[in-house]
Amino acid sequence: MPSGSDTTEEAVSGTSPDGPVPPAETGSTAAPRRPGRLRRTGALARREALRTGLAVVSGIALALAFPPYDLWPLSLVAVAALSLLTRGRTVRQGAWTGFAFGLPFFLILLKWLHVVGWDAVVGLSVAEALFVTLLGAALAGTSRLPAWPVWAACLWVAQEWARDRLPFGGFPWGRLAFANTGSPFTPLAALGGAPLVTFAVALTGALLAACAATLWGLREKGSLSRAVPALEAFGLAAAVTLAGAVVPVPTKADDTVDIAVVQGNVQQPGMDFLGRPMRILDNHATATEKLAADIKAGRAKKPDLVIWPENSSDLDPFQYPQAYDRIDEAVKSIGVPVLVGALVDHPTKKGYVFNEGIVWDPKKGPGASYTKQHPVPFGEYVPFREQLSKIITRFQRVPRDFYPGDHTGVLNVGPAKLGDVICFEVAYDEIVHDTVDAGARALVIQTNNATYGRTGQPEQQLAMSKLRAVEHGRAVVTAATSGISAVVAPDGKVTHQIPEFTQGVVSARIPLRDETTLADRVGAAPEWALAIVGLLSCAAAVVGGRRGRTKDEKGQQ
């Protein structure tokens, strides 16, 4: 009986039972050549065109789930689509689908970077899409495992865990949780922070995909009993979606504080927002003095403290006496402590600056301060400056590197113990968590978004403030040079807001809370646990695949 193998003695020796086998002649009797690489690539492209196109559309849909569009249900649709597009595929095919999904997603989400340059948009989008490429590969590899929607949700958390940390400290923009800051999933942040919200959104989307896949399989020969798994998947998706409704979001506080947030505005949006020296500082000082005049005239209530945004002093007040005097003038006019944002020269390292929030007292002058811990790479400092500046001359527009701080931003500003977080730091779980853990009773986000005004970036950052409010049960005050300055209650609702590129002052009474949420107490544990489970599911898929191949090989022998 033939073995089906071409390694028999006859095949090896080139003979047959009837005698020697003559060599193959060139010409019409020769074995057909394999298609050329170009032809094979074209055939592959045609075969994958529809799937790739659907991945691109799904990535665009996910981008529209984020501010300024705020169509959060599309986050569920996008997750479900990626799950279906990678289901049953090879790891390589899943990786390509993940990239086709991730690239348009980030191109739209991060288009606000076009102010710096479209090459920056494309470069960062490609870098971030590589993480989604790995996600697509992992989704494909685990899609044959039992309970695959659970592993898919864990893998979404693992992907965000990696993007939050790599490279250069990570860039966590585009987390599913940040698209769901006003959805039924939002209260889950109080239990497990942003990672739990991402997990719930991804699990719901994957369950919807499982439901759709089951129903599609019944399109020819279906029965009610075979539709039960689809109904179960849909029921679980609904249960996860509604779970947030039973999560308590505490807002009660023992005491309150009256604040005033000053948005001084800038001369112009874009890279050259600074204008002439002292212009931004004078804007904030003048707005504060107007508030002081209104208080004196009885038109406004005197606050307990005033908050200025990041970079509200465009000159180092400790190096330029005119800047120091202008701040001191404004603070004395209002008569209460002011949290001032300023760039301060490093005392010993030439060419380095601190990005600081400084508590300025009307009697004692400047006091305690917080230095931004996580400067933005290529924006506030340039890694490998000497080498890269020769290749990319634009980096010369970042003349000095920001030096990172080494402690949290808990500051006593008048009667309030506030946690200062500067600009993009609001996107990083650990920084905000550590600030609350150190005793912050309310959070302040000092930010300067003038470079990205009217691009959607300020709305995306404000959404993060809303999630942090629920996650930590704290009022969050966002103070921006050009907008959007806002006050967010502990339940995540925006109570006060100043539009972009408007000089104004918002006065509000905010709660000061000491009670911590479960998310505060468990910290990063849920994220690590879910990410590890996701990675273990990949290992299980690899082991299962090897066992399957081994069985097939034994069956052929």
Side-chain angles (χ1 to χ4, degrees):
M1 181 179 292
S3 66
S5 171
D6 63 355
T7 57
T8 61
E9 183 179 351
E10 291 84 2
V12 171
S13 62
T15 63
S16 73
D18 299 324
V21 177
E25 297 180 358
T26 59
S28 60
T29 59
R33 293 182 179 180
R34 293 178 63 191
R37 179 176 297 179
L38 188 61
R39 185 177 296 178
R40 293 199 305 272
T41 302
L44 178 63
R46 288 191 296 272
R47 188 167 63 247
E48 293 294 322
L50 177 60
R51 191 178 299 269
T52 300
L54 290 173
V56 169
V57 172
S58 301
I60 294 172
L62 182 56
L64 297 179
F66 288 79
Y69 314 104
D70 283 320
L71 302 174
W72 68 262
L74 289 180
S75 62
L76 303 177
V77 175
V79 170
L82 184 60
S83 298
L84 291 172
L85 291 170
T86 55
R87 180 157 169 73
R89 308 291 284 175
T90 66
V91 169
R92 185 177 298 181
Q93 290 168 335
W96 169 251
T97 302
F99 183 76
F101 175 95
L103 183 59
F105 164 54
F106 284 110
L107 284 173
I108 295 175
L109 182 75
L110 304 178
K111 64 181 176 60
W112 43 266
L113 264 177
H114 78 271
V115 177
V116 177
W118 280 105
D119 56 339
V121 179
V122 174
L124 183 56
S125 296
V126 170
E128 295 297 297
L130 293 178
F131 290 94
V132 187
T133 301
L134 296 176
L135 171 64
L139 290 175
T142 58
S143 64
R144 295 177 177 86
L145 295 176
W148 64 267
V150 177
W151 319 135
C154 290
L155 287 168
W156 273 94
V157 175
Q159 174 261 148
E160 293 184 357
W161 176 93
R163 285 202 301 111
D164 189 23
R165 291 161 174 82
L166 301 170
F168 306 114
F171 186 72
W173 235 258
R175 299 168 73 178
L176 292 178
F178 294 154
N180 285 270
T181 60
S183 77
F185 300 98
T186 309
L188 296 174
L191 300 181
L196 184 59
V197 177
T198 285
F199 174 78
V201 173
L203 179 58
T204 302
L207 286 168
L208 292 175
C211 176
T214 302
L215 292 176
W216 179 257
L218 300 177
R219 66 190 186 280
E220 293 180 356
K221 295 181 180 180
S223 64
L224 186 60
S225 61
R226 295 182 66 182
V228 170
L231 297 175
E232 290 175 344
F234 184 81
L236 285 173
V240 175
T241 304
L242 298 175
V246 300
V247 176
V249 179
T251 59
K252 186 177 179 181
D254 293 330
D255 50 346
T256 59
V257 66
D258 291 322
I259 66 164
V261 181
V262 176
Q263 181 173 296
N265 206 5
V266 298
Q267 190 169 355
Q268 59 187 2
M271 291 289 289
D272 301 311
F273 69 89
L274 281 173
R276 61 176 176 79
M278 290 282 292
R279 175 65 180 267
I280 293 177
L281 172 54
D282 192 59
N283 286 352
H284 288 83
T286 299
T288 303
E289 289 164 346
K290 287 180 181 177
L291 174 61
D294 288 340
I295 293 169
K296 190 174 182 179
R299 293 189 295 269
K301 182 181 178 181
K302 186 175 182 177
D304 297 312
L305 59 96
V306 174
I307 300 170
W308 286 9
E310 176 191 27
N311 302 153
S312 46
S313 177
D314 46 3
L315 293 177
D316 180 355
F318 304 110
Q319 295 293 330
Y320 294 89
Q322 63 269 39
Y324 185 105
D325 293 342
R326 190 70 185 95
I327 296 172
D328 206 48
E329 236 174 69
V331 174
K332 286 179 177 176
S333 72
I334 196 69
V336 297
V338 178
L339 182 61
V340 177
L343 297 182
V344 177
D345 292 342
H346 195 291
T348 59
K349 294 181 178 290
K350 188 176 180 181
Y352 288 91
V353 294
F354 293 128
N355 188 355
E356 291 192 339
I358 306 167
V359 179
W360 206 291
D361 188 84
K363 295 179 180 179
K364 301 177 183 178
S369 64
Y370 165 67
T371 301
K372 187 176 184 180
Q373 301 174 72
H374 199 305
V376 179
F378 305 106
E380 295 177 331
Y381 77 97
V382 180
F384 314 111
R385 173 182 288 275
E386 185 177 348
Q387 296 81 7
L388 290 179
S389 294
K390 296 176 182 177
I391 303 171
I392 306 174
T393 57
R394 186 186 302 148
F395 288 150
Q396 296 172 9
R397 300 194 67 174
V398 185
R400 300 184 295 174
D401 288 335
F402 284 29
Y403 199 86
D406 58 4
H407 61 271
T408 60
V410 178
L411 302 169
N412 289 311
V413 187
K417 195 173 186 180
L418 304 179
D420 192 14
V421 176
I422 297 180
C423 202
F424 280 22
E425 289 184 326
V426 69
Y428 296 89
D429 295 346
E430 183 179 356
I431 291 176
V432 185
H433 172 268
D434 289 348
T435 303
V436 174
D437 192 52
R441 305 185 72 197
L443 293 168
V444 173
I445 314 298
Q446 288 184 293
T447 187
N448 174 21
N449 294 324
T451 300
Y452 308 112
R454 299 194 182 102
T455 64
Q457 186 271 350
E459 288 90 344
Q460 292 175 9
Q461 192 171 318
L462 179 59
M464 298 175 194
S465 295
K466 292 165 63 178
L467 187 76
R468 298 305 182 196
V470 176
E471 180 179 357
H472 301 289
R474 297 290 186 271
V476 178
V477 179
T478 298
T481 49
S482 60
I484 304 169
S485 296
V487 177
V488 183
D491 61 0
K493 295 178 181 176
V494 178
T495 60
H496 302 75
Q497 187 170 318
I498 305 176
E500 287 189 85
F501 298 106
T502 303
Q503 186 178 98
V505 175
V506 61
S507 298
R509 175 169 292 179
I510 63 170
L512 300 176
R513 304 189 71 252
D514 296 305
E515 182 185 352
T516 56
T517 63
L518 181 60
D520 291 318
R521 295 190 287 274
V522 299
E527 182 180 32
W528 280 91
L530 293 169
I532 290 172
V533 170
L535 295 177
L536 289 176
S537 71
C538 292
V542 171
V543 172
R546 287 178 178 174
R547 287 178 178 174
R549 287 192 296 271
T550 302
K551 289 181 180 179
D552 290 341
E553 290 170 0
K554 288 182 178 179
Q556 293 174 3
Q557 291 176 357

